[in-house]
Amino acid sequence: MKTLLMSALMLSTTILGAAPAFAQTALPAQTIKNIVLVHGAFVDETSWSGVAAILAAKGYKVTAVKNPLTSLADDVAATNAVLDAQDGPAVLVGHSWGGVVIGEAGNNSKVASLVYVSAFAPDKGETISALAASGPATPGVKAIRPDAKGYLTIDPAVFPSAVAGDLPKEIGAHLAAHQMPINHTAFDAAAEVAAWHDKPSWYVLSSKDLVLDPHAQAFFAERIKAKVTTVDGSHASLASHAAEVAAVIEAATGAK
């Protein structure tokens, strides 16, 4: 499946961790060199490819977790496996549902800092279902549909405008047709850990998000005492604003 950024920039190929369009440079001393990226619901790890390419070109070791999206515990286990394989401290980054995952896996001793990108940041005991129900439903949330087995996707007719409104329509349609369903039970699982209590945090707030309301994002960012960067982007700002997102992640490594 083509990645969000590949399609948006009309690139024909991208290899995660390789970025021929950028000149690689040496990182400053004391910089955290490992970056672990956690994707959200309805997409896979390739949604991070644009950001990963920018960071890899600067000399960072970037790894994108492949979440099974079968349960919160399974996604946390997949993320911890990647973290355990790092050769030193890491910045852990989560988009959307991935924010729930990094809140749990962020307790891993390898994690030095957290970056939330248009992401949920629940406290211990909170669920995504309850948090979502506490405010008005967004167009994206209203369009979530279960299949016969209880796995959720977003109505393909709504997906392009609700999720990726700042990407070309044909890209949104492609992504809508290649969604990665998430088990509905994941949204009902209570957070057992909220690593942001103990780890420094950054937050990328997407001001035109039609999935996770920007007001909710502002609430999360304030509560976790994050350093906030606002981008004029959709829920897919990790693709449409990849350079800005990458810059925030780089700040979390201590390089800036």
Side-chain angles (χ1 to χ4, degrees), residues 217-233:
Q217 294 182 45
F219 164 77
F220 291 132
E222 181 179 4
R223 182 169 69 168
I224 70 177
K225 298 179 173 60
K227 297 176 182 178
V228 182
T229 296
T230 300
V231 298
D232 190 28

Side-chain angles (χ1 to χ4, degrees), residues 121-212:
D123 205 346
K124 184 177 180 180
E126 293 179 342
T127 69
I128 296 306
S129 296
L131 287 168
S134 65
T138 60
V141 169
K142 289 179 181 178
I144 293 175
R145 305 284 186 264
D147 66 12
K149 295 182 179 180
Y151 276 76
L152 307 175
T153 56
I154 293 177
D155 184 340
V158 179
F159 188 106
S161 60
V163 179
D166 53 356
L167 293 174
K169 291 182 180 179
E170 61 272 19
I171 297 171
H174 175 85
L175 294 168
H178 295 83
Q179 293 183 64
M180 304 298 292
I182 185 169
N183 193 327
H184 76 281
T185 61
F187 291 164
D188 297 327
E192 297 182 2
V193 182
W196 48 263
H197 282 292
D198 304 307
K199 304 288 173 78
S201 300
W202 281 252
Y203 199 105
V204 178
L205 192 159
S206 300
S207 65
K208 292 184 177 179
D209 198 322
L210 297 181
V211 177
L212 180 53

